[in-house]
Each structure stands twice: as structure tokens, then as C-alpha cells.
Amino acid sequence: MFENYYRKDIAWGGQLLTLETGKVARQADGAVMARLGDTIVLCTVVGSRSVKPGQDFFPLTVNYQEKAFAAGKIPGGFFKREGRPSEHETLVSRLIDRPIRPLFPDGFRNEVQVIATVLSHDLENDPDMVAMVGCSAALTLSGIPFFGPVASARVGYIDGQYVLNPTAAQRQQSKLELVVAGTAEGVLMVESEAQELSEEVMLGAVEFGHKGFQPVIQGIIELAERAAKEPWPLVEPSEAETTLKTRIAELGRDAIALAYKETQKLLRQEKVSAAKKAVVEQLAAEGLEADKAKGLLKELEADVVRNAILETGLRIDGRDTRTVRPIVAEVGVLPRSHGSALFTRGETQALCVATLGTGQDEQIIDALPGEYREHFMLHYNFPPYSVGETGRMGSPGRREIGHGKLAWRALRPLLPEKDKFPYTLRVVSEITESNGSSSMATVCGSSLALMDAGTPLKRPCAGIAMGLIKEDRGFAVLSDILGDEDHLGDMDFKVAGSEQGITALQMDIKITSITFDIMRQALDQARDGRIHILGEMAKGLTGARGDVAANAPRITVINVPKEKIREVIGSGGKTIREITEQTGCKIDIEDDGTIKVAATSTEQAQRAIDWIRGLTAEAEIGAIYNGKVVKTADFGAFVNFLGAKDGLVHISELQNERVNRTTDVVNVGDAVKVKVIGFDDRGKVKLSMRVVDQATGADITEQVGARRPREEGEGGSDRPRRDRPRRERSDAAE
């Protein structure tokens, strides 16, 4: 039945990678079932046979989706089915999109949709790498114009050694998590988080990963030799389009070059738009196809800018290739926030706000490997006004999620240990101006906001975006790129870290690949820029403030025996609710007996802590406590002195003189000071008031001296008074 079924087994990193086609999803242009271990991903590709009228861009869509059944789970929520993509699914979709997009031919405008569906997850082998390989194979087999294949690999760094595709357990020990993708010739995409590693180690990891996925590329090529469909014909530009392109260059080159001499962004955009408009009007007057001029004008614009940089060494705003734009770093700009910073670099500006919360504010994430809690969140927002435009306001898009995650990766290795700074951290970055890398501005501003909130970062963190102009006659690496340099250039290379090393690196290449020599120069140039930015940030704040903001919660961590946790919680949570309601504190209890008490005032926190201590503490012989009389009897008074604990002050221990009746000394409700003097046969606490100064709480045992002998019939026997009538009746009988 499956006459076109093909299978390719590839030895990859000590495991068997299997690619199958021709059995599942046969109506797609390309479909591959990729398997590594027991992780299986179905990857499909479909391309439209025609171009929509007026289409002037390449409409590529990549969707990565995880099915709960892949890990033997039922989705949470009311509807019990998969809904909108999770943040992780969105990030993996971007991860697949970025290396394959540059490999479609220029001028290809047919809509292409790539879908990767996780069908099985063995909780050891990550489905994102399997999905990347499967999508590359499906595109290669589909016949759609694609200059691949590409492959990818994850690289770890453990004990000074690189590890290819580390397992989940190995990733916990690794100082690096790097994903690299590319072709046989070079690298197209890098995404990483690192523990302040050097440029040499990072570059070595990229090279190691590139070599590591070469067997996969060769395997895809061998599978394509047997199973690939007939390639779609490439549409060559018509003579009319060639004529139009030549005429556009004649009419617009000088005007566009002149417009790009304007260094101010908005004025420059106005002049460039005016120059383009004049070209289109002239084309229409000459009877040429003015409606097809938009894409060709963009090509002319790129050619003008790129050649000017290579020829003069000067950029759009007049800088050389290494200079970073002027920086202003301000902190404490919002009076009621826990921490805030306004970071301005040229025409890029980020307002970053840090908020400190408790364990109850942690984000609960339901992932295929299992549910976990995240105590650090970073949210990036890019409103349309930041670029002087109108636009739709709604939930964050893929770009916002991706930029926020990059900044999150950059800062996370520098956060204090959770047991030393037990706060939930949320940073929001509002991009108020944008012309250049707003994600790197977010890294700088977020670092300052966290330190302004009192978060003891190991070291401040800064980021810089690098660009590339590469032609046959040479190349130029650009530090701190502008928006136009990003759009018209060949590389977006972002590096973040501290003065000691790199914490995050992201690279996207818009050409077929770059050499490792270019990457090395970009990393070296980025290090110089990062150190400069850190110096400018230090003018605003050099390190974390000594204390958290006055309106931030103060978290006190105490520990109680695990067997005492239920006493703090109480039946049905009654006790813990009572503590929180009466003290106004937030209280988090962990299974190991760790209790975190959060309050905005020291008095509130101490009241809750004393309450908890009272519930869990054990009475100590010789210790003096404040107590309250809760019951009186002929033989003494019961005193509540340690949370819910009561003890007996025998009538002989009320005071040093003879006491006829308990109520002559104390009554229910009286506040007293008591000393623990022992325990009875049943473990009940024996207390004394007579050896404690009731005014000061001081121990006056030595002043009291030895107990005076009691007269016959006097109260104060160590046995309960209820026994005494029998003895008195017996004496009378004698």
C-alpha cells in the first residue's frame, strides 16, 4: 500500500535518528516522520502553486505544536484540549523559521506553511531539534525551491568538554545551552544561554555543533536522492522586470543616497519615502509597471546603503563601524515601583520596571516533561508609538515573546540563588523608542531595574547588537546597529553578558552562511562594545541597592521540623488562613519545612513568625515565656505560653508565700511570665511563676532561694490537689 515509503537511519551523537516518508500525511508536498529515541515529530510542508496578486513578500509560516498525548497527559483547563500556542511552542516555531527562511530563492513569493507536530516525547531527547531536522528534510523532499538542507544541534559544556545533544539530566550540569543550525557550508542561526563564558568557548561550541550535525545533512541528501519530488521551476525575471529595475536605479539612486545622508531617523524616513514616491510617479508617467516597483526600490535602497558603508567606512548616522551611540542610564524613575530604569541609547529607549513578589506569584508552567514553577519572568512590549506608527494593540506576538526570552536568558545566569534572595521577580520592558536593538536595550534596562529593586545580581549585564555587510569585495562588521542597518544588512548578531563573560548569544544570518573568521571578529568587537556600555550604565547605578524598596515585601525565611508543618496549616488550612488574615502576611510553606513570611512591615512579619514559632516550638527547661492564664483550678493555673501549648503552674509555684486559693493570685485572662521547670510523667509541661519577676521577666531563682518547708496541710503538694481529700479523710479516721 505504501509503495513510495522510504526510510533513512542516521547515526547521530551516539543515537539513531530515523527519517521516514511516504507513509503518513501523503497529500502534503513533503512529509517526514523524524524519530530520535522515543521522541517522534511529524513534519509537513505545503506550498501554494500560485502567487497572490500584489504579493511583494515571501509568506512563510512555521507552526510547532506539542500534543499532550505525546507524554501521556491530558491537557489542563476547562476545555481539555490544546489551545493557543504556549510560549515554548512559539519560541520553537521561531527557532525553525530563522535558519530556513534565508534558503528560499530571492523573488519567491508563493505561500509556504511548515507544521511540526510532536507525537511522542520520551522526556530525554528534545523534540525541538528533531522537529528542526524533520522540517528541513520535508522541505528538501517537497520540490519547493529550497537551497537546503539545514540541520541543527544542541551543545552543552560540562567539565570543560562540549557535549552534543545533552540529555535532560546533562543539561542540569551544563554551563552552556546552545542551539546552532546551518548548512554544510556554514552557520545560519545560533541561540544560547551561558554561565559567563568566554568568546573562545562560545565560538568553539558553535564550531563543535556545526561539525556535529554534518551526518544529518548528508543523511537528508541521501534520502532526497531516493524520495524527493520533482523540483518546482524557478521563475526567472522577465525582460520587462529587468528593464524596470534598470530604470528605477537611474531615477532613484542619487535621490536615495542623498536622503540617507540625513542622520535623524524620522526625517530620514520622510526623505527616503519622498524619493521613492517621485520614482513611482515618474514610472507611471512613462507607462511602466509602477505597481511592481516597491520590492525593486527596496533592493536599490539596500544597495545604496551597503556600498556607502563599504566604500567610506561611515554609517547612516555618521558613526564608524565600532562606535556605540550615546547612552543615558537613569534609575528610580517611577516612585511607586520596586525598581525602575530608563535606558536610552541613541534613538532606542527602554523603560524597565522590576517587581518583587512572593512564592505565590510564581508562574506555573504545564509542559510536556511535567509541571514546574518559574520565579523569574521578563516581559517585553513593543507598542506602535515606539516607531512613530499606529497599530493594533493586543496580546504579545512572536517577536515580543522572542525578544523577551532573549533578555531573560541574558539575565538569568546572574540572578542570586533563590535561597539567598527568595523573591519572585518580574521585569517588564516597555519600548518607548526604537531604532536599533530594543532587545539589547531591554537587557541593559532590566539589569538596572533589578539592581534598583535591591536584587543582588552577581554582576551588571549589558547587551549589544552587531550587524554585517558582506559583498564579494569585502565585509564590514557594525557595532550597535540601527534599524535600517538591520533590515538592509546580512546579519543580526546579539551578544549579552557581564564584564567576565557571555550569558546570551543570538545570531541570525540573512545570507547562505558566514565564516567563523567573521564570527570571531564580531564577538571581539561585541566584547569591546559591551564593556563600554557597562561603563555607561555604571554612571546610573554600579550595583544592587542595600535593601529592597520600602513598599516591597520583606521576606523572612524560617525552618520548622517537617512533622510540624501540619500544625502550621491546621485542619483544612484553618490555622494558616487565620495567621494570614490577622497579620496581613503572605506565607509560603514548602515540603521540607521551609516557611517564607512576606510582609511590608517588620511588625507584621514578626507577629506571624512568633505565631508560627509558637505552634512548632518545643518548650525548653529553664526558658522564660510570656503567657496567659486560660483556666484556674484548686491545685493551680493552666497557662497558655507557647502558641497552642498550655502548662500547669501548681499552686505552690504561683508565688513564694503561702497561697490558699489560686484565684487569690491569678484569674483567667491574666498575662503572666512563667519559667519551664520540668515535665510530668505524661510529658505535660510544669511551669513556675514564683521564680520569675513578673514586672521585668527576669529569672529570680537565686533571690528566692531554696523552697521553704511547707506546713502540714498547706497547699503545694506535687500531686494534684484532688488527691488530698482522701489523705485528709484517712488522717481523720486515725
Side-chain angles (χ1 to χ4, degrees):
M1 179 177 180
F2 304 113
E3 57 184 24
N4 294 319
Y5 171 77
Y6 300 93
R7 170 175 170 155
K8 178 65 180 178
D9 293 334
I10 305 168
W12 186 31
Q15 297 193 79
L16 183 66
L17 172 68
T18 301
L19 304 176
E20 296 180 346
T21 187
K23 185 176 181 179
V24 179
R26 292 172 293 166
Q27 296 185 49
D29 289 319
V32 169
M33 191 82 80
R35 177 171 183 165
L36 187 67
D38 283 339
T39 294
I40 302 174
V41 184
L42 172 63
C43 303
T44 63
V45 176
V46 175
S48 175
R49 293 302 193 277
S50 59
V51 181
K52 292 181 180 179
Q55 185 78 43
D56 61 352
F57 66 94
F58 173 41
L60 170 67
T61 305
V62 177
N63 296 103
Y64 168 87
Q65 52 186 0
E66 295 180 337
K67 299 297 183 180
F69 60 71
K73 298 172 62 177
I74 294 175
F78 180 78
F79 294 104
K80 297 297 178 185
R81 66 176 298 165
E82 292 81 3
R84 60 177 296 177
S86 67
E87 181 179 283
H88 176 69
E89 289 171 313
T90 298
L91 293 169
V92 176
S93 296
R94 283 172 51 88
L95 204 66
I96 298 170
D97 182 297
R98 286 156 50 195
I100 66 175
R101 187 176 289 272
L103 298 180
F104 290 89
D106 292 337
F108 185 67
R109 299 290 184 264
N110 300 58
E111 184 175 3
V112 175
Q113 185 176 41
V114 178
I115 299 176
T117 307
V118 180
L119 303 179
S120 177
H121 188 3
D122 61 10
L123 307 183
E124 281 294 326
N125 297 289
D126 291 304
D128 52 1
M129 294 299 94
V130 182
M132 177 84 77
V133 170
C135 290
S136 171
L139 279 165
T140 305
L141 301 180
S142 68
I144 295 172
F146 178 67
F147 301 143
V150 298
S152 65
R154 179 172 271 107
V155 179
Y157 190 65
I158 304 174
D159 297 330
Q161 299 294 320
Y162 297 116
V163 180
L164 186 67
N165 293 332
T167 64
Q170 288 176 317
R171 287 167 67 180
Q172 298 297 318
Q173 308 168 31
S174 178
K175 292 185 176 180
L176 170 69
E177 182 169 334
L178 180 142
V179 174
V180 56
T183 63
E185 292 76 27
V187 174
L188 286 166
M189 186 272 296
V190 177
E191 183 88 54
S192 69
E193 178 183 337
Q195 301 288 333
E196 296 183 284
L197 298 179
S198 69
E199 283 74 12
E200 291 74 18
V201 171
M202 298 298 289
L203 185 60
V206 175
E207 292 184 273
F208 177 82
H210 182 253
K211 291 177 183 176
F213 62 61
Q214 293 306 312
V216 177
I217 290 179
Q218 186 58 38
I220 294 174
I221 292 172
E222 293 173 5
L223 178 63
E225 289 172 349
R226 295 185 294 151
K229 296 180 179 179
E230 287 297 317
W232 294 13
L234 286 173
V235 179
E236 298 293 334
S238 64
E239 184 178 343
E241 288 177 342
T242 303
T243 301
L244 181 63
K245 184 176 182 179
T246 302
R247 185 58 179 151
I248 286 174
E250 294 172 350
L251 293 171
R253 181 176 294 275
D254 291 342
I256 290 176
L258 181 62
Y260 267 99
K261 292 185 182 298
E262 173 59 56
T263 58
Q264 205 277 328
K265 175 186 174 183
L266 295 180
L267 291 177
R268 182 172 61 247
Q269 288 179 339
E270 290 178 5
K271 291 181 179 181
V272 171
S273 296
K276 290 180 177 180
K277 182 179 180 182
V279 171
V280 172
E281 290 174 351
Q282 182 60 35
L283 293 175
E286 295 176 7
L288 298 175
E289 296 178 285
D291 57 327
K292 295 183 179 180
K294 186 175 180 180
L296 297 174
L297 280 167
K298 194 69 176 176
E299 291 179 18
L300 175 61
E301 188 180 352
D303 186 60
V304 167
V305 172
R306 295 162 64 87
N307 279 290
I309 293 173
L310 290 176
E311 289 172 3
T312 67
L314 297 178
R315 297 154 63 180
I316 296 171
D317 59 359
R319 285 180 293 151
D320 61 25
T321 58
R322 290 178 171 269
T323 301
V324 176
R325 288 170 290 174
I327 291 172
V328 178
E330 304 172 69
V331 296
V333 295
L334 300 178
R336 294 296 297 169
S337 65
H338 297 163
S340 60
L342 184 67
F343 180 84
T344 307
R345 187 191 60 236
E347 296 173 309
T348 297
Q349 188 179 75
L351 175 62
C352 300
V353 185
T355 306
L356 307 182
T358 68
Q360 297 175 25
D361 299 309
E362 290 182 339
Q363 184 178 19
I364 301 174
I365 298 176
D366 185 15
L368 277 188
E371 185 178 284
Y372 67 94
R373 303 174 76 93
E374 180 57 63
H375 82 287
F376 174 47
M377 296 160 278
L378 197 152
H379 299 141
Y380 166 102
N381 297 312
F382 192 87
Y385 67 76
S386 64
V387 288
E389 297 177 357
T390 61
R392 183 184 66 86
M393 296 289 288
S395 56
R398 289 189 174 190
R399 181 179 180 277
E400 284 83 355
I401 292 173
H403 281 27
K405 194 67 173 181
L406 175 59
W408 180 88
R409 289 192 183 102
L411 289 162
R412 189 170 72 146
L414 298 170
L415 293 177
E417 299 298 328
K418 191 178 177 183
D419 57 348
K420 296 178 181 176
F421 193 73
Y423 287 91
T424 296
L425 305 172
R426 181 184 184 234
V427 180
V428 178
S429 174
E430 296 287 339
I431 303 304
T432 51
E433 291 184 41
S434 180
N435 182 21
S437 179
S438 54
S439 62
M440 294 298 94
T442 293
V443 171
C444 301
S446 298
S447 175
L448 290 167
L450 284 168
M451 292 190 298
D452 185 48
T455 305
L457 296 183
K458 296 174 185 175
R459 278 163 290 278
C461 185
I464 186 170
M466 312 297 292
L468 174 69
I469 303 296
K470 183 174 179 289
E471 299 286 354
D472 293 339
R473 58 196 174 98
F475 69 90
V477 176
L478 313 178
S479 295
D480 181 23
I481 56 175
L482 300 172
D484 287 335
E485 292 169 341
D486 184 9
H487 302 148
L488 305 177
D490 298 321
M491 175 182 76
D492 184 10
F493 192 61
K494 298 172 181 174
V495 187
S498 70
E499 60 182 9
Q500 294 196 10
I502 294 172
T503 56
L505 187 153
Q506 182 185 90
M507 182 183 74
D508 291 302
I509 303 299
K510 303 172 188 177
I511 52 180
T512 53
S513 64
I514 64 169
T515 66
F516 287 106
D517 287 338
I518 294 177
M519 284 188 63
R520 184 174 288 105
Q521 178 176 328
L523 281 169
D524 290 342
Q525 205 165 308
R527 180 182 58 238
D528 295 340
R530 185 174 79 247
I531 298 302
H532 167 74
I533 294 170
L534 285 168
E536 294 299 302
M537 289 168 55
K539 296 177 182 179
L541 190 63
T542 57
R545 299 198 186 279
D547 196 7
V548 298
N551 60 336
R554 261 65 173 175
I555 297 181
T556 305
V557 180
I558 61 175
N559 291 280
V560 302
K562 289 191 287 186
E563 61 271 14
K564 297 289 185 177
I565 293 175
R566 60 183 180 183
E567 296 183 24
V568 180
I569 296 174
S571 177
K574 178 182 178 182
T575 304
I576 193 66
R577 282 197 304 270
E578 186 179 0
I579 297 173
T580 56
E581 288 171 2
Q582 293 196 24
T583 64
C585 297
K586 287 185 177 181
I587 300 173
D588 298 323
I589 303 176
E590 298 178 9
D591 294 339
D592 63 354
T594 300
I595 298 180
K596 298 174 184 176
V597 179
T600 54
S601 75
T602 304
E603 293 76 13
Q604 287 179 308
Q606 194 59 50
R607 186 179 172 199
I609 291 169
D610 290 344
W611 196 328
I612 294 169
R613 290 293 191 199
L615 293 170
T616 60
E618 296 291 343
E620 299 179 21
I621 292 181
I624 295 175
Y625 299 92
N626 292 318
K628 181 180 179 180
V629 178
V630 293
K631 184 180 179 181
T632 59
D634 290 343
F635 51 83
F638 290 95
V639 176
N640 175 235
F641 70 100
L642 192 61
K645 290 184 175 61
D646 293 344
L648 173 65
V649 180
H650 192 270
I651 193 170
S652 64
E653 293 293 338
L654 288 174
Q655 61 184 32
N656 208 36
E657 291 75 24
R658 175 175 177 171
V659 177
N660 293 318
R661 287 193 303 267
T662 301
T663 52
D664 290 343
V665 179
V666 292
N667 290 288
V668 172
D670 287 353
V672 296
K673 292 177 174 61
V674 293
K675 179 179 179 179
V676 177
I677 57 174
F679 302 90
D680 66 12
D681 300 346
R682 296 172 295 175
K684 299 298 183 180
V685 182
K686 294 181 177 180
L687 302 173
S688 173
M689 287 175 55
R690 75 185 187 91
V691 296
V692 181
D693 187 321
Q694 295 299 307
T696 65
D699 190 336
I700 55 173
T701 305
E702 295 181 358
Q703 299 176 31
V704 172
R707 179 180 298 168
R708 61 177 175 80
R710 289 188 294 269
E711 298 176 7
E712 184 178 354
E714 178 181 338
S717 169
D718 285 342
R719 288 181 296 170
R721 191 166 177 174
R722 61 176 176 270
D723 295 337
R724 214 162 38 231
R726 293 181 181 175
R727 185 175 67 249
E728 291 171 356
R729 284 196 298 272
S730 178
D731 291 344
E734 289 179 358

